[in-house]
mmCIF file of all heavy atoms in Angstrom:
data_model
loop_
_atom_site.group_PDB
_atom_site.id
_atom_site.type_symbol
_atom_site.label_atom_id
_atom_site.label_comp_id
_atom_site.label_asym_id
_atom_site.label_seq_id
_atom_site.Cartn_x
_atom_site.Cartn_y
_atom_site.Cartn_z
ATOM 1 N N PHE A 8 11.961 -10.446 0.551
ATOM 2 C CA PHE A 8 11.494 -9.886 1.779
ATOM 3 C C PHE A 8 11.539 -8.366 1.862
ATOM 4 O O PHE A 8 10.686 -7.758 2.443
ATOM 5 C CB PHE A 8 12.317 -10.547 2.956
ATOM 6 C CG PHE A 8 11.979 -11.959 3.205
ATOM 7 C CD1 PHE A 8 12.757 -12.984 2.688
ATOM 8 C CD2 PHE A 8 10.836 -12.316 3.896
ATOM 9 C CE1 PHE A 8 12.405 -14.309 2.876
ATOM 10 C CE2 PHE A 8 10.485 -13.654 4.112
ATOM 11 C CZ PHE A 8 11.268 -14.668 3.597
ATOM 12 N N ASP A 9 12.487 -7.817 1.128
ATOM 13 C CA ASP A 9 12.537 -6.300 1.058
ATOM 14 C C ASP A 9 11.352 -5.748 0.324
ATOM 15 O O ASP A 9 10.751 -4.742 0.721
ATOM 16 C CB ASP A 9 13.789 -5.868 0.354
ATOM 17 C CG ASP A 9 15.061 -6.054 1.169
ATOM 18 O OD1 ASP A 9 14.929 -6.273 2.393
ATOM 19 O OD2 ASP A 9 16.167 -6.087 0.593
ATOM 20 N N GLU A 10 10.910 -6.418 -0.771
ATOM 21 C CA GLU A 10 9.789 -5.912 -1.601
ATOM 22 C C GLU A 10 8.451 -6.479 -1.207
ATOM 23 O O GLU A 10 7.409 -5.941 -1.603
ATOM 24 C CB GLU A 10 10.090 -6.224 -3.052
ATOM 25 C CG GLU A 10 11.293 -5.468 -3.594
ATOM 26 C CD GLU A 10 11.611 -5.841 -5.071
ATOM 27 O OE1 GLU A 10 10.824 -6.616 -5.694
ATOM 28 O OE2 GLU A 10 12.594 -5.303 -5.558
ATOM 29 N N GLY A 11 8.419 -7.549 -0.477
ATOM 30 C CA GLY A 11 7.162 -8.130 -0.043
ATOM 31 C C GLY A 11 6.372 -8.837 -1.084
ATOM 32 O O GLY A 11 5.166 -8.904 -0.994
ATOM 33 N N ARG A 12 7.076 -9.379 -2.122
ATOM 34 C CA ARG A 12 6.339 -10.071 -3.166
ATOM 35 C C ARG A 12 7.276 -11.083 -3.833
ATOM 36 O O ARG A 12 8.488 -10.943 -3.798
ATOM 37 C CB ARG A 12 5.836 -9.091 -4.234
ATOM 38 C CG ARG A 12 6.850 -8.276 -4.865
ATOM 39 C CD ARG A 12 6.185 -7.182 -5.730
ATOM 40 N NE ARG A 12 7.195 -6.246 -6.250
ATOM 41 C CZ ARG A 12 7.796 -6.379 -7.406
ATOM 42 N NH1 ARG A 12 7.521 -7.353 -8.190
ATOM 43 N NH2 ARG A 12 8.699 -5.533 -7.773
ATOM 44 N N CYS A 13 6.647 -12.140 -4.378
ATOM 45 C CA CYS A 13 7.348 -13.156 -5.097
ATOM 46 C C CYS A 13 6.367 -14.046 -5.850
ATOM 47 O O CYS A 13 5.134 -13.885 -5.673
ATOM 48 C CB CYS A 13 8.188 -14.025 -4.128
ATOM 49 S SG CYS A 13 7.222 -14.970 -2.925
ATOM 50 N N ASN A 14 6.893 -14.960 -6.640
ATOM 51 C CA ASN A 14 5.932 -15.873 -7.341
ATOM 52 C C ASN A 14 5.511 -17.014 -6.397
ATOM 53 O O ASN A 14 6.088 -17.182 -5.317
ATOM 54 C CB ASN A 14 6.531 -16.370 -8.660
ATOM 55 C CG ASN A 14 7.741 -17.249 -8.479
ATOM 56 O OD1 ASN A 14 7.829 -18.027 -7.510
ATOM 57 N ND2 ASN A 14 8.689 -17.174 -9.374
ATOM 58 N N SER A 15 4.549 -17.771 -6.783
ATOM 59 C CA SER A 15 3.989 -18.807 -5.905
ATOM 60 C C SER A 15 5.027 -19.895 -5.635
ATOM 61 O O SER A 15 5.122 -20.406 -4.489
ATOM 62 C CB SER A 15 2.741 -19.394 -6.478
ATOM 63 O OG SER A 15 2.924 -19.948 -7.770
ATOM 64 N N GLU A 16 5.811 -20.275 -6.586
ATOM 65 C CA GLU A 16 6.793 -21.349 -6.348
ATOM 66 C C GLU A 16 7.810 -20.924 -5.295
ATOM 67 O O GLU A 16 8.148 -21.693 -4.387
ATOM 68 C CB GLU A 16 7.540 -21.662 -7.682
ATOM 69 C CG GLU A 16 8.525 -22.764 -7.516
ATOM 70 C CD GLU A 16 9.210 -23.221 -8.811
ATOM 71 O OE1 GLU A 16 8.793 -22.734 -9.854
ATOM 72 O OE2 GLU A 16 10.108 -24.069 -8.749
ATOM 73 N N THR A 17 8.286 -19.668 -5.356
ATOM 74 C CA THR A 17 9.197 -19.168 -4.368
ATOM 75 C C THR A 17 8.517 -19.126 -2.988
ATOM 76 O O THR A 17 9.132 -19.558 -1.988
ATOM 77 C CB THR A 17 9.703 -17.773 -4.735
ATOM 78 O OG1 THR A 17 10.401 -17.875 -5.997
ATOM 79 C CG2 THR A 17 10.613 -17.175 -3.705
ATOM 80 N N LEU A 18 7.281 -18.670 -2.944
ATOM 81 C CA LEU A 18 6.537 -18.637 -1.702
ATOM 82 C C LEU A 18 6.417 -20.020 -1.069
ATOM 83 O O LEU A 18 6.594 -20.191 0.131
ATOM 84 C CB LEU A 18 5.163 -18.001 -1.862
ATOM 85 C CG LEU A 18 4.349 -17.709 -0.628
ATOM 86 C CD1 LEU A 18 5.074 -16.705 0.286
ATOM 87 C CD2 LEU A 18 2.989 -17.212 -1.015
ATOM 88 N N PHE A 19 6.060 -21.020 -1.885
ATOM 89 C CA PHE A 19 5.927 -22.377 -1.353
ATOM 90 C C PHE A 19 7.241 -22.947 -0.810
ATOM 91 O O PHE A 19 7.243 -23.572 0.234
ATOM 92 C CB PHE A 19 5.402 -23.308 -2.487
ATOM 93 C CG PHE A 19 4.020 -22.966 -2.948
ATOM 94 C CD1 PHE A 19 3.607 -23.386 -4.206
ATOM 95 C CD2 PHE A 19 3.150 -22.251 -2.173
ATOM 96 C CE1 PHE A 19 2.299 -23.129 -4.683
ATOM 97 C CE2 PHE A 19 1.870 -21.968 -2.645
ATOM 98 C CZ PHE A 19 1.436 -22.388 -3.869
ATOM 99 N N ILE A 20 8.330 -22.665 -1.533
ATOM 100 C CA ILE A 20 9.617 -23.175 -1.055
ATOM 101 C C ILE A 20 10.048 -22.412 0.223
ATOM 102 O O ILE A 20 10.510 -23.038 1.187
ATOM 103 C CB ILE A 20 10.709 -23.029 -2.109
ATOM 104 C CG1 ILE A 20 10.407 -23.967 -3.297
ATOM 105 C CG2 ILE A 20 12.116 -23.320 -1.571
ATOM 106 C CD1 ILE A 20 11.310 -23.796 -4.503
ATOM 107 N N LEU A 21 9.840 -21.089 0.297
ATOM 108 C CA LEU A 21 10.126 -20.371 1.541
ATOM 109 C C LEU A 21 9.278 -20.863 2.731
ATOM 110 O O LEU A 21 9.851 -20.977 3.816
ATOM 111 C CB LEU A 21 9.837 -18.875 1.326
ATOM 112 C CG LEU A 21 10.923 -18.156 0.471
ATOM 113 C CD1 LEU A 21 10.424 -16.737 0.129
ATOM 114 C CD2 LEU A 21 12.263 -18.121 1.152
ATOM 115 N N ALA A 22 8.061 -21.171 2.487
ATOM 116 C CA ALA A 22 7.244 -21.747 3.581
ATOM 117 C C ALA A 22 7.847 -23.084 4.041
ATOM 118 O O ALA A 22 7.937 -23.352 5.231
ATOM 119 C CB ALA A 22 5.810 -21.963 3.109
ATOM 120 N N ALA A 23 8.241 -23.899 3.127
ATOM 121 C CA ALA A 23 8.885 -25.198 3.498
ATOM 122 C C ALA A 23 10.158 -24.996 4.285
ATOM 123 O O ALA A 23 10.531 -25.815 5.144
ATOM 124 C CB ALA A 23 9.131 -26.022 2.235
ATOM 125 N N CYS A 24 10.880 -23.899 4.035
ATOM 126 C CA CYS A 24 12.126 -23.598 4.770
ATOM 127 C C CYS A 24 11.886 -23.498 6.252
ATOM 128 O O CYS A 24 12.768 -23.756 7.059
ATOM 129 C CB CYS A 24 12.739 -22.280 4.287
ATOM 130 S SG CYS A 24 13.447 -22.396 2.632
ATOM 131 N N VAL A 25 10.666 -23.073 6.631
ATOM 132 C CA VAL A 25 10.346 -22.876 8.045
ATOM 133 C C VAL A 25 9.320 -23.924 8.503
ATOM 134 O O VAL A 25 8.517 -23.673 9.417
ATOM 135 C CB VAL A 25 9.942 -21.464 8.349
ATOM 136 C CG1 VAL A 25 11.084 -20.507 8.215
ATOM 137 C CG2 VAL A 25 8.711 -21.029 7.551
ATOM 138 N N GLU A 26 9.315 -25.072 7.842
ATOM 139 C CA GLU A 26 8.439 -26.181 8.190
ATOM 140 C C GLU A 26 6.971 -25.916 8.078
ATOM 141 O O GLU A 26 6.152 -26.297 8.925
ATOM 142 C CB GLU A 26 8.762 -26.670 9.602
ATOM 143 C CG GLU A 26 10.206 -27.072 9.799
ATOM 144 C CD GLU A 26 10.535 -28.330 9.044
ATOM 145 O OE1 GLU A 26 9.725 -29.262 8.994
ATOM 146 O OE2 GLU A 26 11.689 -28.412 8.526
ATOM 147 N N CYS A 27 6.598 -25.143 7.037
ATOM 148 C CA CYS A 27 5.159 -24.842 6.765
ATOM 149 C C CYS A 27 4.818 -25.306 5.375
ATOM 150 O O CYS A 27 5.691 -25.508 4.545
ATOM 151 C CB CYS A 27 4.890 -23.347 6.865
ATOM 152 S SG CYS A 27 5.081 -22.657 8.497
ATOM 153 N N GLU A 28 3.545 -25.456 5.100
ATOM 154 C CA GLU A 28 3.061 -25.751 3.755
ATOM 155 C C GLU A 28 1.699 -25.101 3.552
ATOM 156 O O GLU A 28 1.031 -24.758 4.554
ATOM 157 C CB GLU A 28 3.001 -27.223 3.490
ATOM 158 C CG GLU A 28 2.044 -27.996 4.360
ATOM 159 C CD GLU A 28 2.017 -29.462 4.085
ATOM 160 O OE1 GLU A 28 3.051 -30.032 3.693
ATOM 161 O OE2 GLU A 28 0.951 -30.089 4.339
ATOM 162 N N PHE A 29 1.281 -24.939 2.367
ATOM 163 C CA PHE A 29 0.010 -24.320 2.033
ATOM 164 C C PHE A 29 -1.050 -25.405 1.804
ATOM 165 O O PHE A 29 -0.769 -26.465 1.266
ATOM 166 C CB PHE A 29 0.122 -23.465 0.792
ATOM 167 C CG PHE A 29 0.873 -22.189 1.064
ATOM 168 C CD1 PHE A 29 2.235 -22.161 0.899
ATOM 169 C CD2 PHE A 29 0.207 -21.040 1.464
ATOM 170 C CE1 PHE A 29 2.936 -20.976 1.172
ATOM 171 C CE2 PHE A 29 0.872 -19.885 1.736
ATOM 172 C CZ PHE A 29 2.259 -19.871 1.562
ATOM 173 N N GLN A 30 -2.244 -25.114 2.201
ATOM 174 C CA GLN A 30 -3.413 -25.973 1.911
ATOM 175 C C GLN A 30 -4.478 -25.127 1.326
ATOM 176 O O GLN A 30 -4.652 -23.970 1.644
ATOM 177 C CB GLN A 30 -3.934 -26.576 3.172
ATOM 178 C CG GLN A 30 -2.963 -27.535 3.853
ATOM 179 C CD GLN A 30 -3.555 -28.130 5.116
ATOM 180 O OE1 GLN A 30 -4.675 -27.786 5.540
ATOM 181 N NE2 GLN A 30 -2.830 -29.019 5.716
ATOM 182 N N MET A 31 -5.241 -25.692 0.364
ATOM 183 C CA MET A 31 -6.301 -24.981 -0.283
ATOM 184 C C MET A 31 -7.641 -25.531 0.268
ATOM 185 O O MET A 31 -7.860 -26.760 0.218
ATOM 186 C CB MET A 31 -6.231 -25.150 -1.789
ATOM 187 C CG MET A 31 -7.180 -24.273 -2.519
ATOM 188 S SD MET A 31 -6.760 -24.198 -4.294
ATOM 189 C CE MET A 31 -7.836 -25.509 -4.897
ATOM 190 N N ALA A 32 -8.504 -24.701 0.730
ATOM 191 C CA ALA A 32 -9.783 -25.083 1.193
ATOM 192 C C ALA A 32 -10.857 -24.393 0.319
ATOM 193 O O ALA A 32 -10.913 -23.167 0.263
ATOM 194 C CB ALA A 32 -9.974 -24.628 2.663
#
């Protein structure tokens, strides 16, 4: 969060932490 970047796996898990998920269209 300080640097504003991470890998995709970390991003997906962080999204799940707040009850979100990614979808690809």
Side-chain angles (χ1 to χ4, degrees):
F8 288 99
D9 289 342
E10 295 179 1
R12 59 189 172 93
C13 64
N14 66 37
S15 59
E16 183 177 352
T17 298
L18 187 62
F19 296 157
I20 294 173
L21 287 170
C24 289
V25 292
E26 303 291 321
C27 294
E28 64 182 29
F29 288 89
Q30 295 180 356
M31 189 167 93

